[in-house]
């Protein structure tokens, strides 16, 4: 089954490469909860289409359904790159409603949010398996990147031979350490940015065009 | 020392006739049967064992007592079984017509030479109610009541079985099915608990907690991509989620999933 699946992916990827002019790449924005994925998705969408993708929040698991923004045309050096971006729920191995009680949430709401967040993780993993051609992996550079989730997801992405761009987000924070992320994943290029402030977005778009164009 | 008077603790050998009309010392008519190998004399009148484990031993004890009484009633030894039928029929005739059976067969005539009067009486005669102690139930010729049966058998059951002239035999045959049925009743409980475990409803199976926990752990290890610790608390196996063919679209409180099976699900096979 695994061999067949890998073969199918390889064929579909080769086909999509052949017809890349016609079919925009579908780029999944992945990462742990509260890394700034939706903030980045909104930044990209607003910069190139004027619309936002979804609401941002400091409460974890605000995004509990994958949201897609299609046919974003990014211009770089006179060329254009068309991508669809998929903002996915934060991936985690544990969801606990008590985490939300600290944010002035009623228990019923917290339990429901927890369940929806869990469904969201399942959905994100499903998208990763079936529906993305490349990954923008967003990390909060003010936190430790050596986690089970990060290691596992990067491993899955690598095993699928998907192009991946690692973004060290939240460089506006005092505790930010881009080098820590570079050290964690030395096999990949790490781009620092602050999606909230819009810092270093030009380099991000350059790399998007380079990796997914 | 198979028999012991529960009143004065006097003991009687297996097959003893002294106890047939009650304890010669105190007149007590309740005896406990102590199987071979259990020689402790100071057995308490009320055994401390819980009813459930003792039920099978009760049945065994009743059965042995009944067998002993039956042997005593019919002549005591197995090698005399060929004559038991004749003795039973002749005793039946004798009860109707007193001296009609005197000297009817050579065997009956030879018997007194090998048996003393008490043995012959025990083998051939049906004891009359008058010979029993006054507090004895009239229809119950010999009350071999192992003390533990008082705990487990209901008075109505005893009364019912006492209607038979072969009361102890009836009780023994009744005891076994009762014991079996109690065993059977325990089995469905167990299987029911296990079937609950298979569908993952832990609130109904407190008594089977260890087995259920093991089963759930095993199932979780093998199949679960989302483990529900309690409503609102989940553990996710990312690799399992990633490897799933089907897409989980909704998660219910009890841990069930609503899934969307891919259109080409069967093409992979």
């Amino acid at each position: 089954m695994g061999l067949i699946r890998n073969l199918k992916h390889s064929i579909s990827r080769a086909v999509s490469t052949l017809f890349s002019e016609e079919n925009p790449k579908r780029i999944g924005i992945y990462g742990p909860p509260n890394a700034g994925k939706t903030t980045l998705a909104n930044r990209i969408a607003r910069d190139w289409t004027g619309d936002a993708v979804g609401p941002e929040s400091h409460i974890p698991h605000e995004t509990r359904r994958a949201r897609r923004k299609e046919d974003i045309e990014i211009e770089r050096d006179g060329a254009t790159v068309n991508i669809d971006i998929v903002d996915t729920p934060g991936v985690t191995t544990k969801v606990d409603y008590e985490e939300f009680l600290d944010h002035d949430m009623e228990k019923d709401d917290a339990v429901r949010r927890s369940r929806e967040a869990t469904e969201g993780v399942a959905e994100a993993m499903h998208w990763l398996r079936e529906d993305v051609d490349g990954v923008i992996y967003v990390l909060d550079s003010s936190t430790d990147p050596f986690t089970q989730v990060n290691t596992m997801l990067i491993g899955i992405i690598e095993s699928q031979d998907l192009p991946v761009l690692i973004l060290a987000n939240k460089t506006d924070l005092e505790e930010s350490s881009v080098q820590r992320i570079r050290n964690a994943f030395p096999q990949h290029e790490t781009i620092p940015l602050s999606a909230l402030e819009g810092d270093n977005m030009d380099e991000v778009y350059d790399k998007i065009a380079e990796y997914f164009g | 020392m198979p028999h012991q008077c529960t009143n004065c603790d006097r003991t009687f050998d297996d097959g003893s006739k002294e106890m047939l009309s009650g304890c010669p010392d105190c007149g007590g008519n309740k005896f406990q049967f102590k199987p071979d190998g259990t020689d402790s004399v100071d057995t308490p009148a009320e055994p401390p064992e819980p009813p459930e484990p003792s039920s099978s031993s009760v049945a065994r004890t009743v059965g042995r007592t009944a067998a002993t009484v039956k042997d005593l009633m019919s002549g005591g030894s197995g090698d005399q079984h060929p004559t038991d039928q004749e003795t039973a029929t002749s005793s039946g005739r004798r009860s109707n017509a007193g001296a009609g059976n005197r000297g009817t067969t050579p065997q009956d005539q030879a018997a007194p030479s090998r048996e003393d009067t008490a043995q012959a009486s025990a083998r051939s005669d049906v004891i009359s109610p008058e010979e029993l102690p006054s507090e004895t139930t009239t229809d119950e010729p010999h009350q071999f009541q192992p003390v533990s049966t008082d705990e487990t058998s209901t008075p109505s059951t005893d009364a019912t079985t006492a209607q038979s002239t072969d009361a102890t035999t009836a009780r023994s045959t009744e005891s076994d099915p009762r014991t079996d049925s109690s065993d059977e009743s325990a089995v469905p409980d167990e299987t029911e608990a296990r079937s609950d475990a298979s569908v993952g409803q832990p609130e109904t199976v407190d008594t089977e907690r260890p087995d259920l926990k093991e089963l759930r752990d095993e199932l979780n290890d093998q199949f679960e991509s989302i483990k529900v610790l309690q409503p609102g608390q989940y553990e996710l196996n990312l690799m399992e989620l990633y490897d799933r063919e089907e897409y989980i679209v909704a998660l219910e409180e009890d841990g069930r999933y609503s899934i969307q099976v891919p259109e080409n699900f069967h093409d992979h096979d």
Side-chain angles (χ1 to χ4, degrees):
Chain A
M1 190 72 88
L3 283 173
I4 293 172
R5 196 180 65 231
N6 289 338
L7 184 63
K8 188 192 81 174
H9 273 268
S10 300
I11 292 172
S12 66
R13 202 157 295 136
V15 169
S16 67
T17 304
L18 282 173
F19 299 99
S20 58
E21 299 299 322
E22 293 81 10
N23 298 317
K25 296 277 183 59
R26 185 174 294 162
I27 308 302
I29 300 179
Y30 279 85
N34 252 19
K37 297 179 294 299
T38 303
T39 305
L40 173 67
N42 284 340
R43 171 68 62 182
I44 295 172
R46 283 196 185 105
D47 282 351
W48 300 102
T49 69
D51 296 329
V53 173
E56 305 162 22
S57 170
H58 66 287
I59 305 175
H61 296 293
E62 179 66 25
T63 305
R64 298 186 293 281
R65 285 292 174 204
R67 296 192 188 94
R68 185 162 46 170
K69 188 72 177 175
E70 294 183 323
D71 208 17
I72 296 174
E73 189 175 281
I74 298 175
E75 292 182 8
R76 290 285 100 178
D77 298 331
T80 59
V81 176
N82 291 304
I83 60 169
D84 296 343
I85 58 171
V86 182
D87 181 28
T88 65
V91 176
T92 182
T93 55
K94 199 166 187 174
V95 181
D96 190 342
Y97 75 93
E98 290 181 356
E99 178 184 3
F100 307 129
L101 297 179
D102 299 335
H103 297 277
D104 292 331
M105 201 176 289
E106 294 295 324
K107 184 182 176 184
D108 287 348
D109 293 336
V111 169
R112 187 174 63 251
R113 187 183 182 99
S114 178
R115 189 174 67 245
E116 290 172 355
T118 304
E119 294 168 1
V121 175
E123 184 180 22
M125 297 306 292
H126 182 78
W127 274 86
L128 181 60
R129 173 197 168 100
E130 303 285 346
D131 293 315
V132 296
D133 302 309
V135 172
I136 294 174
Y137 200 80
V138 182
L139 288 165
D140 179 350
S141 60
S142 68
T143 62
D144 185 0
F146 290 98
T147 66
Q148 182 188 6
V149 168
N150 292 337
T151 304
M152 190 177 296
L153 276 181
I154 294 293
I156 289 173
I157 292 164
E158 289 172 348
S159 71
Q160 291 285 80
D161 285 331
L162 290 172
V164 57
L165 185 60
I166 293 182
L167 302 186
N169 194 20
K170 303 192 182 183
T171 53
D172 54 300
L173 296 180
E174 205 171 298
E175 318 86 82
S176 169
S177 170
V178 177
Q179 190 57 43
R180 186 165 51 182
I181 294 176
R182 287 198 176 102
N183 293 341
F185 304 104
Q187 71 275 34
H188 297 288
E189 190 172 6
T190 296
I191 314 300
L193 85 154
S194 168
L196 184 66
E197 302 292 337
D199 295 342
N200 203 34
M201 287 306 296
D202 278 342
E203 187 182 2
V204 170
Y205 293 133
D206 287 343
K207 292 298 177 184
I208 288 175
E210 179 184 337
Y211 275 68
F212 310 121
Chain B
M1 199 278 293
H3 302 282
Q4 183 178 40
C5 175
T6 60
N7 189 34
C8 69
D9 290 342
R10 174 169 173 175
T11 59
F12 303 88
D13 291 334
D14 195 7
S16 168
K17 301 165 291 296
E18 292 177 271
M19 55 192 287
L20 292 179
S21 297
C23 178
D25 288 352
C26 69
N29 62 356
K30 289 188 178 181
F31 303 89
Q32 62 176 342
F33 181 81
K34 300 173 72 66
D36 294 336
T38 58
D39 289 334
S40 63
V41 180
D42 55 346
T43 303
E46 297 288 334
E49 293 86 22
E52 186 68 22
S54 69
S55 60
S56 60
S57 65
V58 167
R60 274 201 305 274
T61 305
V62 171
R64 286 193 188 199
T65 306
T68 302
V69 171
K70 197 174 181 181
D71 285 344
L72 289 171
M73 291 287 288
S74 61
S77 61
D79 58 357
Q80 290 184 333
H81 278 300
T83 62
D84 284 347
Q85 288 287 0
E86 286 188 23
T87 308
T89 53
S90 67
S91 67
R93 269 184 267 128
R94 189 188 307 150
S95 64
N96 292 331
N101 64 341
R102 292 288 178 215
T104 50
T105 64
Q107 285 172 325
D108 275 349
Q109 286 181 336
S113 66
R114 288 183 282 122
E115 295 175 339
D116 60 25
T117 309
Q119 283 175 318
S121 172
R123 183 171 60 82
S124 58
D125 284 348
V126 176
I127 195 165
S128 65
E130 291 77 18
E131 293 179 58
L132 294 172
S134 58
E135 67 270 23
T136 306
T137 308
T138 54
D139 288 332
E140 202 165 13
H142 303 289
Q143 287 195 332
F144 286 90
Q145 294 181 344
V147 289
S148 52
T149 58
D150 292 339
E151 292 183 353
T152 54
S153 63
T154 60
S156 62
T157 306
D158 283 344
T160 305
T161 56
Q163 299 296 321
S164 166
T165 54
D166 198 0
T168 51
T169 304
R171 189 183 301 157
S172 70
T173 55
E174 191 179 72
S175 299
D176 289 339
R178 188 176 58 203
T179 307
D180 290 343
S181 67
S182 68
D183 287 341
E184 286 169 6
S185 69
V187 172
D189 286 343
E190 200 168 317
T191 54
E192 186 177 299
R194 294 212 171 126
S195 68
D196 283 343
S198 67
V199 297
Q201 292 177 349
E203 62 273 10
T204 61
V205 286
D206 285 339
T207 56
E208 291 292 315
R209 181 68 66 191
D211 288 343
L212 176 62
K213 189 177 185 309
E214 284 176 18
L215 183 62
R216 284 185 65 84
D217 288 345
E218 189 178 332
L219 287 174
N220 284 334
D221 289 343
Q222 290 178 0
F223 304 114
E224 290 281 338
S225 49
I226 297 175
K227 187 188 293 185
V228 184
L229 303 178
Q230 60 172 285
Q233 291 183 330
Y234 305 94
E235 283 183 0
L236 297 94
N237 185 331
L238 297 182
M239 285 307 297
E240 285 290 330
L241 285 171
Y242 176 74
D243 282 337
R244 290 182 81 104
E245 282 284 332
E246 66 276 15
Y247 165 41
I248 297 174
V249 293
L251 181 64
E252 297 174 23
E253 287 296 334
D254 56 5
R256 293 189 177 92
Y257 312 145
S258 296
I259 63 170
Q260 183 182 64
V261 178
E263 291 175 2
N264 57 349
F265 187 76
H266 296 290
D267 294 345
H268 293 291
D269 296 329

